[in-house]
Amino acid sequence: MPLIDNRSRGVFVIAVTPFADDGSIDVDSLDKVVDFYFEAGANGLTILGMMGEAPKLTQAESIDVARRVIARSGDRPVVVGVSSPGLAAIGELSRAVMDLGAAGVMVAPPGSLKTDDQIVTYYGNVAEMTGRGVPLVVQDFPLATGVHITPGVLGRIVAEQPDVVMLKHEDWPGLAKISAIRTSESSGQRRLSILCGNGGGFLPEEMARGADGAMTGFGFPEMMVVVTSLAGGGDLERARDMFDAYLPLVRYEQQPGVGLAVRKYVLKQRGKIASDAQRRPGSTLTAEAMREVDDLMRRQSKRLGALA
Amino acid sequence: MPLIDNRSRGVFVIAVTPFADDGSIDVDSLDKVVDFYFEAGANGLTILGMMGEAPKLTQAESIDVARRVIARSGDRPVVVGVSSPGLAAIGELSRAVMDLGAAGVMVAPPGSLKTDDQIVTYYGNVAEMTGRGVPLVVQDFPLATGVHITPGVLGRIVAEQPDVVMLKHEDWPGLAKISAIRTSESSGQRRLSILCGNGGGFLPEEMARGADGAMTGFGFPEMMVVVTSLAGGGDLERARDMFDAYLPLVRYEQQPGVGLAVRKYVLKQRGKIASDAQRRPGSTLTAEAMREVDDLMRRQSKRLGALA
Amino acid sequence: MPLIDNRSRGVFVIAVTPFADDGSIDVDSLDKVVDFYFEAGANGLTILGMMGEAPKLTQAESIDVARRVIARSGDRPVVVGVSSPGLAAIGELSRAVMDLGAAGVMVAPPGSLKTDDQIVTYYGNVAEMTGRGVPLVVQDFPLATGVHITPGVLGRIVAEQPDVVMLKHEDWPGLAKISAIRTSESSGQRRLSILCGNGGGFLPEEMARGADGAMTGFGFPEMMVVVTSLAGGGDLERARDMFDAYLPLVRYEQQPGVGLAVRKYVLKQRGKIASDAQRRPGSTLTAEAMREVDDLMRRQSKRLGALA
Amino acid sequence: MPLIDNRSRGVFVIAVTPFADDGSIDVDSLDKVVDFYFEAGANGLTILGMMGEAPKLTQAESIDVARRVIARSGDRPVVVGVSSPGLAAIGELSRAVMDLGAAGVMVAPPGSLKTDDQIVTYYGNVAEMTGRGVPLVVQDFPLATGVHITPGVLGRIVAEQPDVVMLKHEDWPGLAKISAIRTSESSGQRRLSILCGNGGGFLPEEMARGADGAMTGFGFPEMMVVVTSLAGGGDLERARDMFDAYLPLVRYEQQPGVGLAVRKYVLKQRGKIASDAQRRPGSTLTAEAMREVDDLMRRQSKRLGALA
């Protein structure tokens, strides 16, 4: 049961939760898509995040999903989203999934936080609930949470909470934030692992700025693997060529709300999950949108062929 | 096990959840404060709402509190708050508490709802999760939720969801909304029970506009009882005299955030709960604030004496 | 042409802008209501704030109103609201009204500010636009602006901007903030004048916490005068008696949105302005609401009589 | 002096406002960039929008800019943004620019609008202020305004306000909205011109869904021209090839806040404006960001070469 730490790097795919058309959890597809993520080169997984439809699961289902994914992942790390309006629920779910072998837990700040001090205090409360020794990931996603965490505030959290080891970076714009954090670290601030989200839409620039990898979803997770790998190896030009080939679909899948429907449709078309059903409230693709995605996949395939 | 319906009236006190100083649930105080509410004249209770610190309870604790309060309340109705970011959790908690004998469940809209149609759809999804026959209370509290429900939108919900039987009214300003709903009802819209919140700060006017009572908390629930009772009996002038005597403390307790600390302090000073502790995140009264509350209680007592 | 400074105290009434029923500015009523405010004991006025319907005036009208009120006020200080989405407009209006003899300008933060640092930077930009020597009032009204200014952030603004001399305090809850500021000042932070808003609904407690007075509107500004005067003279018990008599109407007038209609209706009923018309978008009182206000005034008058 | 109408199509470039390094308006660069936009194939311009730094101009400057751009544009239509917190200012600026020969005015809804009815009422008030015969553009940009306008609400506005002739479409996601509007129009709803914003990031799909063109900015406005032209001519595959070549830079320039700095830097590098200075509050590019933009331009140029 590996734990993440502040040197963790590579690609942690945000896993979808597959449902059958009747709304039940499709455990066979869950196994299959987990296998697919690792075959595509993922270094780890993140489950029960916003794009994993976590709020649509009962608590018992959440724990079942965590148990199954962690078991299937073997010795690869699985981070579990435990965000909740209440600290008690965060502590409860965190204990449960860490007992199952999770590699760490991720918490996004609730929208009720209004000031810098409130954010710092919040992560203090969270760390006390999850307990010493449980690696914490701060999810910094202002577009979704409404909470803006400056590099300075993050620095205060890092200084006060030794268990905060990773930033799921999805501020937008966010490049300057990566540079600011790395600059602070060169002046003595404790290092954080920075894994980038937002569908990977800025991954080449993020890697060049000092990110350690990606923690995000996309119907073609091999994009994140190849871009982080090439960029990590110093071949940024080739990384960009590959990235550009995927970008039209990345952009399309990155649409808020409807994006998950795109992602599940792509995974279904690729044979990785049996159904693209979402539990309510969820979005579905119209016939027009499906044609758009089909076209994007066709053009992407052609472009990748030319690059091979 | 009584159920609420669209003729329910009187005072449903929003119950506090008493904690011991070590953060554990103080079940003796819970019994005691439940008894106190009914002795003060409450017609029913509402538990696990925002002011009941519901998000600070684990799911198991929530069900324990519901079980104990429902049992203690005997044949008096207990409404249970089941708001959650996820529909699955709403369904899960609703089934659990209805099995325990709850009189109905209350749901506030999540802040992610942006348009009229989204609000209407949301309550359709909620009603499907809680199931036919479970009385639903719509909590309309824009200051806390950020969601604005117009009388027209409420009318659509009432038309589509037969199980919606009650409005917990705490829009601010909200008097015109009560009048608008009652006017629509006189033109054929199905009747709703309207119980008013916001600490009772507009209770005389709300009763005169056609509300059926109060569903709110205040350290002196006898205020809500005497005002609704006098107003219901037609003696609005006397109702206002009594209301005015309590108003300075009502105002003070109605402060967002710190209000719950005031309420628990008052209940502790009155001997109804053993400790005014809150679980984190919670507010505490400074010495200065305690003196202010003490002063307000002293002056209130004097004024009530003059009115007796 | 007096200027405000960080020792300014007493009552600055937020002046209404009277319109004729055809929507034109009623300059006779403007003169009359200005006279009334000073006869009631005001120490100064604040114009072109949110409750002065400033956004409904053209720029030329705003300057006309400022010119007339400043002239009419003689040697009494007039603070002018110059909040705007754009810094250029703030600078432009500030220069214009200071040239006319304003005592200072007031700026509320725009809702786009999300972090502590952004707030501090914003007031730096504002101070540069308004220019050295122009007294600045920070309007701290989170309920309306969505911007939360902690005592620490305010301390940074005070340290960096010597022209910031006054806080229009209308956070809610806000009592702890007054105490926090005064505590910081006792440790060397430069003093601010603190004048309280929010319709005066917490004025006795605010004065006891160290506020210097009130900057707010209410149809009976004599309430603010008598409460600040008695509290300032140490007779807090009598201040509270007077306050309590006005509180039911204070509460009613403090309703967001509809409150201005109440205030103008009261001023019209008292013969201080000719019409309670508002420019669009504005609110009007229904017949039911007028009866409620009439009742509140009748009861208030009776209670004040008993206290005389 | 042409007016826009509900059949207007093509590319309306959102013009930047060039400043000299000392913050004064650089009128020579303004002329030059206007000429550039038309040489690049623009059908019209839109000025004084959010990306034109309108809030940083005084009212006199705004009118000067409008006068100069309208004169320079000759018989090509110029739409002017007149959004303001106050209706009076909207009316005032609208009259001024229509007198100067503007083709219409654009208004974004203020963030204070919370319900469907409030949005509909707001555009009624706006239309009354701007006056019969002045073509109105509804700017639908929820990410920036916080106001969500459903197709149904837009239909109500279209039905009630004959002067609303155009939608500046920048909802995100927004493709389904275009389809919904066109579907309603096929059932009798009055036609709107739909010009798309958001930096053109979805332009091929938007054109295929029935949009009439683009109203947005981008350092290479020739992208919008070629994509709308090819798509309008039915060659969607070639339109996409061209679009894909520009997409990496489109994506980079579309970052909120910093995007305008990118746009101005690109225009300066291309020799279209003398300085990329912004008035405060503004963003500037770090050396790192400049290198990223330079790289993106270099790669874009290479790719366009391969497509030629």
Side-chain angles (χ1 to χ4, degrees), chain B residues 13-291:
Chain B
V13 179
I14 300 281
V16 298
T17 304
F19 296 104
D21 289 336
D22 66 2
S24 62
I25 297 176
D26 174 357
V27 290
D28 291 333
S29 284
L30 183 59
D31 287 347
K32 199 166 162 183
V33 80
V34 165
D35 292 348
F36 163 65
Y37 289 141
F38 287 118
E39 283 156 16
N43 301 89
L45 296 181
T46 301
I47 59 171
L48 302 184
M50 300 175 192
M51 295 296 268
E53 300 179 70
K56 304 175 190 171
L57 304 183
T58 65
Q59 188 170 306
E61 287 174 332
S62 295
I63 290 171
D64 283 348
V65 166
R67 179 182 295 112
R68 193 163 188 112
V69 172
I70 290 169
R72 191 84 181 182
S73 299
D75 58 356
R76 271 90 45 121
V78 177
V79 172
V80 182
V82 296
S83 300
S84 164
L87 290 168
I90 290 175
E92 194 174 25
L93 185 55
S94 174
R95 274 186 299 279
V97 299
M98 292 307 295
D99 284 350
L100 294 171
V105 296
M106 179 166 75
V107 179
S112 54
L113 304 179
K114 299 300 179 195
T115 68
D116 285 8
D117 290 348
Q118 288 173 347
I119 299 168
V120 173
T121 299
Y122 181 73
Y123 278 100
N125 286 339
V126 166
E128 193 178 315
M129 290 308 291
T130 53
R132 196 68 187 86
V134 173
L136 275 173
V137 183
V138 172
Q139 184 176 15
D140 180 24
F141 193 7
L143 186 67
T145 63
V147 177
H148 295 258
I149 304 176
T150 63
V153 165
L154 191 68
R156 290 171 58 191
I157 294 170
V158 167
E160 295 181 14
Q161 307 305 335
D163 290 308
V164 169
V165 297
M166 185 182 282
L167 178 70
K168 181 176 197 306
H169 167 278
E170 34 197 347
D171 203 349
W172 179 51
L175 297 174
K177 187 177 275 189
I178 298 174
S179 296
I181 295 168
R182 291 307 185 216
T183 299
S184 294
E185 289 172 356
S186 71
S187 307
Q189 184 173 298
R190 184 167 59 81
R191 189 184 199 282
L192 275 189
S193 168
I194 301 178
L195 299 188
C196 297
N198 269 330
F202 286 85
L203 199 47
E205 289 87 357
E206 288 163 341
M207 292 304 292
R209 296 276 189 141
D212 297 302
M215 181 185 277
T216 194
F218 176 46
F220 290 82
E222 43 272 65
M223 180 278 280
M224 284 94 82
V225 173
V226 71
V227 170
T228 57
S229 163
L230 285 167
D235 191 353
L236 207 54
E237 199 70 12
R238 176 76 181 165
R240 281 172 173 151
D241 288 342
M242 296 300 293
F243 174 79
D244 287 357
Y246 288 103
L247 183 56
L249 185 56
V250 165
R251 163 201 65 118
Y252 195 94
E253 195 182 298
Q254 196 54 16
Q255 297 176 85
V258 75
L260 180 59
V262 177
R263 186 173 300 168
K264 284 193 149 181
Y265 175 77
V266 169
L267 289 170
K268 188 186 74 168
Q269 295 300 92
R270 299 185 72 191
K272 309 306 181 190
I273 59 178
S275 163
D276 57 357
Q278 293 181 42
R279 281 194 180 166
R280 266 184 290 182
S283 51
T284 51
L285 294 190
T286 60
E288 220 159 355
M290 284 186 222
R291 275 195 302 273

Side-chain angles (χ1 to χ4, degrees), chain A residues 25 53 95 127 193 205 252:
Chain A
I25 296 175
E53 300 179 71
R95 275 185 298 279
S193 167
E205 288 87 356
Y252 195 94

Side-chain angles (χ1 to χ4, degrees), chain A residues 18 86 139 187 203 248 261:
Chain A
Q139 184 175 16
S187 307
L203 198 48

Side-chain angles (χ1 to χ4, degrees), chain D:
Chain D
M1 294 181 308
L3 297 180
I4 54 168
D5 62 32
N6 70 354
R7 293 279 169 187
S8 295
R9 57 175 45 247
V11 176
F12 281 62
V13 178
I14 300 281
V16 297
T17 303
F19 296 104
D21 288 336
D22 67 1
S24 61
I25 296 176
D26 175 356
V27 290
D28 292 333
S29 284
L30 184 58
D31 286 348
K32 198 166 161 184
V33 80
V34 165
D35 293 347
F36 162 65
Y37 289 141
F38 287 118
E39 284 155 16
N43 302 87
L45 297 181
T46 301
I47 58 172
L48 302 183
M50 299 175 192
M51 294 297 269
E53 300 179 69
K56 304 175 190 171
L57 305 182
T58 65
Q59 188 170 306
E61 288 174 330
S62 295
I63 290 171
D64 283 349
V65 166
R67 180 183 295 110
R68 193 161 188 113
V69 172
I70 291 168
R72 191 83 182 181
S73 299
D75 58 357
R76 270 91 42 123
V78 177
V79 173
V80 182
V82 297
S83 300
S84 164
L87 289 168
I90 290 174
E92 195 173 25
L93 185 54
S94 174
R95 276 186 298 280
V97 300
M98 292 307 295
D99 285 350
L100 294 171
V105 297
M106 180 167 73
V107 179
S112 54
L113 304 179
K114 298 298 180 198
T115 68
D116 285 6
D117 289 348
Q118 288 174 346
I119 298 168
V120 173
T121 299
Y122 181 74
Y123 277 100
N125 287 339
V126 166
E128 192 178 315
M129 290 308 291
T130 54
R132 196 67 189 87
V134 173
L136 275 173
V137 184
V138 172
Q139 184 175 15
D140 179 24
F141 194 6
L143 186 67
T145 63
V147 178
H148 295 258
I149 305 177
T150 63
V153 166
L154 190 70
R156 290 170 58 190
I157 294 171
V158 167
E160 294 181 15
Q161 307 305 335
D163 291 309
V164 169
V165 298
M166 186 182 280
L167 176 71
K168 181 176 196 308
H169 167 277
E170 36 197 344
D171 202 348
W172 179 51
L175 298 174
K177 187 177 273 188
I178 297 174
S179 296
I181 296 169
R182 292 306 186 216
T183 298
S184 295
E185 290 172 357
S186 70
S187 308
Q189 184 172 298
R190 183 167 60 80
R191 190 186 198 282
L192 275 189
S193 168
I194 302 177
L195 299 187
C196 297
N198 270 331
F202 286 86
L203 199 47
E205 288 88 358
E206 288 163 342
M207 293 303 292
R209 296 273 191 146
D212 296 302
M215 182 183 277
T216 195
F218 176 46
F220 290 83
E222 42 273 64
M223 180 278 281
M224 284 94 81
V225 173
V226 69
V227 170
T228 57
S229 163
L230 285 168
D235 191 353
L236 207 54
E237 197 69 11
R238 175 80 180 163
R240 280 173 175 150
D241 288 341
M242 296 300 292
F243 174 78
D244 287 356
Y246 288 103
L247 182 57
L249 184 57
V250 166
R251 162 202 66 119
Y252 195 94
E253 195 182 300
Q254 196 54 17
Q255 297 176 86
V258 76
L260 181 59
V262 177
R263 186 174 299 169
K264 284 192 150 183
Y265 175 77
V266 169
L267 289 169
K268 190 185 74 169
Q269 295 300 93
R270 300 187 70 191
K272 310 306 181 189
I273 59 178
S275 162
D276 58 355
Q278 292 182 42
R279 282 194 178 165
R280 267 183 291 182
S283 50
T284 50
L285 294 191
T286 60
E288 218 160 358
M290 283 186 224
R291 274 195 302 273
E292 288 166 343
V293 177
D294 292 343
D295 258 356
L296 288 164
M297 285 198 285
R298 174 182 56 76
R299 290 176 53 86
Q300 175 181 290
S301 173
K302 190 173 132 200
R303 180 127 183 90
L304 286 170
L307 284 172

Side-chain angles (χ1 to χ4, degrees), chain C residues 167-189:
Chain C
L167 176 71
K168 181 176 196 309
H169 167 278
E170 33 197 348
D171 201 349
W172 179 53
L175 296 174
K177 187 177 276 188
I178 298 174
S179 297
I181 296 168
R182 292 308 186 216
T183 299
S184 295
E185 291 171 357
S186 71
S187 309
Q189 183 173 297

